[in-house]
Amino acid sequence: MHEGHEEMFRRRFFVSTLLSIPVLLYSEMLQEWLGFSVPAFPGSEWINPIFAVIVFAYGGVPFLRMATPELGERSPGMMTLISMAISVAFVYSLASVVLPTESAFFWELVTLIDIMLLGHWIEMRSVRQAQSALDELAQLMPDTAERITDDGDTEAVPVSDLSEGDLVLVRPGASVPADGVVAEGDSDVNESMITGESMPVSKDPGDEVIGGTINGDGSLRIRIEATGEETTLAGIMRLVEEARGSKSRTQVLADRAAGWLFYVAVSSAAVTGVAWTVAASFDAAVIERVVTVLVIACPHALGLAIPLVVAINTSMAARNGMLVRDRIAMEEARNLDAIVFDKTGTLTEGEHGVVGTKTADGIDEEEALTLAAAVEGDSEHMIARAIREAAAERGVGVSEVEDFEALKGRGVRARVAGDEVHVGGPNLLTHLETDVPSDLQRFADEAGENGQTVVYVVREGDPIAAFAMADVIRDESYRVVDALHELDVEVAMLTGDSRDVADAVADELGIDTVFAEVLPEDKDEKVRELQNQGKLVGMVGDGVNDAPALTRADVGIAIGSGTDVAVQSADVVLVQNNPMDVARLVKLSKSSYRKMQENIVWAAGYNVFAIPLAAGVLAPVGLLLSPAVGAILMSLSTVIVAINAQLLRRVDLSIPGLSDTSPARGTQPTDQVGTHGAQGNRNVTRKMK
């Protein structure tokens, strides 16, 4: 529906604008103001009425139709005011062709229609784009599945034909067709599009899998447990739709002003007609005076007051890394009480890095890192990449290796300078039946309390070092929390990670509220909890599981590197993936809203001044506003509104009180992070990218 409305307004805007050009060129008033002339020819006097009638019939009638519900609800707004203005101008201007009136309003009629068509085209385009989130969700599911028959063969069937209890084969790199349980095989499954978490999840027989996730290198045989509307992804889709539908209709400032102006204009016109009839007599001059009042109320400036600010606002936001998809969200951002951040991929890089190191006696860190990076040189696992990046960051050379071997589920091994070196997690130590020295064990225990993963380096059967691995906190995350606190905005974090991991990140960043171990289908409930406390809530996320929460929030903000669904579900997209833009969004919202208010004051102020003059309140002293002068005032009001909107470009979006470096914050004790020390841990956390 919205796509059809968007196309309708776009088409009518362009056609009506082209048809308006002859009307403007042959307007005597515009020729006099601008000092130009166009050649006259037999019949040229009919150009204005003929083209104005066409523009009214083609571009103006939709507004008359949209005004009907407002009148039916007894809640006149912009549509009613526009309809009244264009109808009065249309009828009076046609009458002026055959009756002796002072002037017509053809050019005012067509320009008002053109401006309103443009504004509604932009609005419908935004609405249509916002509705595409459900389509993006549906595209995650594969169309077909390989069902295993009773004789062990496979057959390709549509996913819609799967039933509970079916056994399907999921090959490496393929999407899981529906929710189920692993019957045979083991593999790592990428669930980031559902959970938003970066690390693939190891799946063994008996583990649950979610439809729409992507299988890794192994083959899986999955017993289907839920299909169609019963799947996790379908549930998320329902939440997105429900949350979007639950949003109340926010009345735009211009609509409210138009409603007030409608009553002012009608009342003023009625009083004008009665007063002039009583004072003089009812004649053509009285009709002309009433029409002048009604036409002067036509909202040229009011129609531009909001769209001009929105256009400049959107341009400034884009230059500062923000794509505004919903103008109402920009208005609401100025009043946000709390902003909820998803952790992985938003406050963190979504990639693991080395955040701490501990070595056995007689072993220095560079030696341990050299051995680990050498053995991990041929591995593509994310932990291997993190170790290699740590070595490169510190300028550590990498030795040649021989006899490399991947030990599935345990780690890797190779020979370095004749020594057998293993690198892996706790399962590796169990496999090697090796005891961990007490100092390395304490380091591992403390890292585990902080939600960090521990990787060991074992040389010739003896553990010689341990690395603490954690998701890397973004540089900008430290600053955005401080910036939002300075703007009196509460900061919360939402994650599916364990409580230990969540608390460690929250303590490091100084976050106020933490929601940990949250299931994908429950994330929007956490947003609702804050809203039920009377808070206006913003949500920042990047995964499919964030889509319902993004939609539930008063202002949904997506990290641009996130999934298409998160982007399409959001009101604002951070295209440069910079969380600091959240603070800039709040500041720009405050400035933009102030400009909107100022423009409405100018636009309405023109009417407050011009309508009484048009009605003739100063006629006893010889001051009577003619239609021509009223048109000049109308144009002046439009120019003032346009200039004031342009002043928004001068707003400084830098965040006061913040330096380019992150302020130091309380850090963990030295013995908790190994030989790097507390500050060393923080530096490594922020540098390993």
Side-chain angles (χ1 to χ4, degrees), residues 354-374 387 390-391 394-397 440 443 457 459 464-468 670 673-678 680-681 684 688:
V354 178
V355 298
T357 304
K358 183 66 177 178
T359 60
D361 292 340
I363 306 295
D364 63 32
E365 291 183 20
E366 291 196 0
E367 180 182 358
L369 194 55
T370 298
L371 291 173
I387 290 176
R394 299 184 61 175
V396 173
L440 294 187
F443 173 83
V457 180
R459 183 170 61 185
I464 62 171
F467 299 107
T670 302
V673 295
T675 56
H676 280 308
N681 176 57
V684 172
M688 299 302 176

Side-chain angles (χ1 to χ4, degrees), residues 285 308 340 390 621:
L308 279 176
V340 182
V621 296

Side-chain angles (χ1 to χ4, degrees), residues 586-618:
V586 176
K587 189 171 183 180
L588 180 58
S589 172
K590 293 177 182 293
S591 300
S592 299
Y593 188 76
R594 184 166 57 250
K595 285 299 176 187
M596 291 180 187
Q597 289 179 312
E598 291 170 357
N599 274 1
I600 288 177
V601 169
W602 277 110
Y606 148 78
N607 292 98
V608 170
F609 172 73
I611 288 178
L613 291 181
V617 294
L618 296 181

Side-chain angles (χ1 to χ4, degrees), residues 481-495:
V481 174
D482 288 338
L484 291 174
H485 283 161
E486 290 190 14
L487 292 169
D488 295 324
V489 178
E490 175 187 342
V491 181
M493 185 178 72
L494 185 66
T495 180

Side-chain angles (χ1 to χ4, degrees), residues 532-606:
N532 289 341
Q533 298 172 18
K535 298 176 180 177
L536 197 70
V537 180
M539 170 69 194
V540 186
D542 72 330
V544 173
N545 66 308
D546 300 323
L550 287 170
T551 311
R552 176 76 66 188
D554 299 284
V555 180
I557 306 167
I559 292 289
S561 62
T563 65
D564 289 341
V565 179
V567 170
Q568 292 294 333
S569 299
D571 303 309
V572 180
V573 179
L574 306 184
V575 294
Q576 295 178 359
N577 308 328
N578 185 355
M580 273 300 296
D581 291 333
V582 177
R584 295 188 178 96
L585 171 69
V586 176
K587 189 171 183 180
L588 180 58
S589 172
K590 293 177 182 293
S591 300
S592 299
Y593 188 76
R594 184 166 57 250
K595 285 299 176 187
M596 291 180 187
Q597 289 179 312
E598 291 170 357
N599 274 1
I600 288 177
V601 169
W602 277 110
Y606 148 78

